[in-house]
Amino acid sequence: MLAESTVRSVMGKVAWGFTCSIDGFIAGPGHDMSWLSAGEPLAEGTTERMAHAVAVIISGRSGYDAAKAQQGERDELTSEAYGGAWSGTEFILTHRPDEIADDPSIVALDCDVVEAVRRAKEIAGDRDVQIISADIARQALEHDLIDELQVFVAPVFLGDGTRIFDVPGGRRYDWELVDISEDAERSFGRTYRPKGARRD
C-alpha cells in the first residue's frame, strides 16, 4: 500500500476530485446527487481533513443551478461541499454572471479556465484548488492544469447522467497512482497524478 504523503509543496495543488458510480457517472440525470448516500462511510475526520486542504472550489453553472433548484430535496451530505465541512471561496464559471451576482456565497466569473485557475491559485496560496465540474476539469486537462486526480467510488450503477470524462472522438490521458487512502479503502479512495509529471 502506498503511504499517504505528509509533505506539501509551498504552492497548493489544482485537484480534480469526485465520487463516482461504478459505471462512471459523477451525477445522475438532472444532476441528481441522492445516490451519494449509497457510498461507503469514510473514517472519522477524513472529510474534515480533505475539506481543510481546499481553499477554492471551481464549479460550473449547470451544477450550481441544479443545487439551487434541488435545495429543498438535498440532504446534509449533498447540499453543501464536503457535507458542510468546507469553507472558502467558490468560483462559478458562467457566461451570465450578472444573473447570480447577488449570491454572496459564490464568485461568478465569465472567463476561461486558465484565468479561473490563475485567480484561484492566487487566493489559495499553499492550500488547494478543487475542481468539481466534469466539463471544467476536461477543459483544465487540455491546458495541463490538473496536478492531481482524487477518486472515490460509490457501490451503485446509475445508468445515465454526467460521465466522469466525455470527449466525442476520444482523448487519452494516462495517470499514475500515488496514494491509496487508508481512510477510504472501502470507497476505493485513490489519488493519481498525470503520468510523467514531476513530483515535488
Side-chain angles (χ1 to χ4, degrees):
M1 179 174 296
L2 300 173
E4 181 176 0
S5 174
T6 58
V7 179
R8 296 180 58 80
S9 60
V10 174
M11 294 297 293
K13 302 180 295 293
V14 177
W16 178 18
F18 55 83
T19 296
C20 65
S21 63
I22 294 175
D23 55 344
F25 295 95
I26 61 171
H31 281 269
D32 172 49
M33 301 302 294
S34 62
W35 57 275
L36 281 177
S37 61
E40 296 283 357
L42 302 179
E44 185 176 352
T46 301
T47 299
E48 291 76 12
R49 174 179 56 78
M50 293 189 301
H52 178 71
V54 176
V56 182
I57 285 175
I58 302 178
S59 309
R61 180 63 186 272
S62 59
Y64 170 84
D65 286 345
K68 287 295 183 183
Q70 300 166 8
Q71 203 163 18
E73 307 164 19
R74 294 197 175 189
D75 59 16
E76 185 178 275
L77 176 65
T78 58
S79 60
E80 296 182 78
Y82 291 96
W86 176 79
S87 63
T89 302
E90 182 173 7
F91 288 171
I92 303 295
L93 300 194
T94 174
H95 294 303
R96 306 180 307 281
D98 292 345
E99 295 177 358
I100 56 175
D102 61 346
D103 184 345
S105 69
I106 57 97
V107 176
L109 294 178
D110 182 7
C111 64
D112 65 23
V113 69
V114 175
E115 176 65 9
V117 168
R118 184 192 69 78
R119 294 190 194 186
K121 290 174 75 172
E122 285 183 352
I123 294 171
D126 63 352
R127 295 170 68 198
D128 293 348
V129 175
Q130 182 89 53
I131 296 174
I132 62 172
S133 160
D135 184 55
I136 293 171
R138 176 188 57 76
Q139 296 174 52
L141 280 172
E142 292 175 355
H143 294 279
D144 297 320
L145 296 174
I146 303 289
D147 300 315
E148 192 168 276
L149 183 67
Q150 300 165 352
V151 182
F152 299 87
V153 179
V156 59
F157 283 152
L158 294 180
D160 194 8
T162 302
R163 290 202 172 277
I164 296 169
F165 189 64
D166 190 8
V167 181
R171 179 71 186 269
R172 173 173 169 166
Y173 291 91
D174 290 335
W175 299 89
E176 178 183 11
L177 179 66
V178 294
D179 185 47
I180 297 174
S181 175
E182 295 181 5
D183 295 337
E185 288 186 354
R186 292 176 63 87
S187 299
F188 197 77
R190 301 290 188 271
T191 301
Y192 301 87
R193 289 181 186 162
K195 193 168 185 179
R198 180 176 63 85
R199 295 192 189 186
D200 295 322

